[in-house]
Amino acid sequence: MPKAPSANAQIEYETFGAQTAPAVLLISGLGSQMTRWPPAFCEQLAAHGYRVIRFDNRDTGLSTWFNEGDSYSLSDMAADGVAVLDAAGAAKAHVAGVSMGGMISQAIAIEHPDRVLSLTSIMSASGAPGTMNPTPEAGLVLSIAPPDPKADYEAFLAHGVNNSLTIGSPSYPWPEGALRERAIAEHARGFNPTGSARQMGAIRVDGDRTERLSKLNVPTVVLHGADDPLIKPLGGEATAKAIPGAELRVIPGMGHDLPPALYDIVIDAILAAAARA
């Protein structure tokens, strides 16, 4: 796959659909590889007449990994997304991101407004105080490091599956065995045990984006799960309130994940934002 040169990083990316079609840039969440936007999802979205672009955030998957003591900002990660658009030859894109990816999407819209046709912020937050307070159980997903896969591979896989179930969607379960298969595939592709901590640092440093979001002039849909335990619905509500004209969609039974049963709902939100561009 190609890589996009960005400041201090090489960003792995992949495209689906016709090169001449309008672009949709998909941005993954904390510690999540671009494969969290599975090919089936990307192909389904591309079938609506779009060129879908997914990429590994820095410190994730096959993009550049950083070292202990390194730091970067959400602005740097937003610039990575723009670098991917440059490398893919897309002057503008409909931008959609989940969780931290939603925050990066917001940063692209704030800092690179000429590159953004529409914005879809999914299971994310504005960074305002109180908008990213998880339930105690979901908070452990972020705070407890996984077992060393070299020492106990099965415990590592079980940890990943349990975390996914903890923050998952109660009304949209995964197919049997799918989460274990995903954990195996992600470890084999590019598991970076220290990247999430640096990404979390970028989120903390960026702080509250409410004032910056209030100056946006971009068609926006904010999608959130009513049962999201990691970023509660308040995160989506605050985001939609901050962005002028934003549409808020709160989905009963949706948590903090993207199982196949939610593909239609998420794609519909992206298409709704794009239709307003």
Side-chain angles (χ1 to χ4, degrees), residues 203-226:
I203 293 172
R204 283 194 296 266
V205 169
D206 197 65
D208 185 353
R209 289 177 296 282
T210 301
E211 182 178 356
R212 288 171 281 166
L213 291 172
S214 71
K215 299 175 183 177
L216 289 182
N217 180 25
V218 61
T220 300
V221 172
V222 177
L223 181 67
H224 216 100

Side-chain angles (χ1 to χ4, degrees), residues 134 139 150 189 230:
K150 294 180 181 178
R189 183 176 181 269
L230 192 64

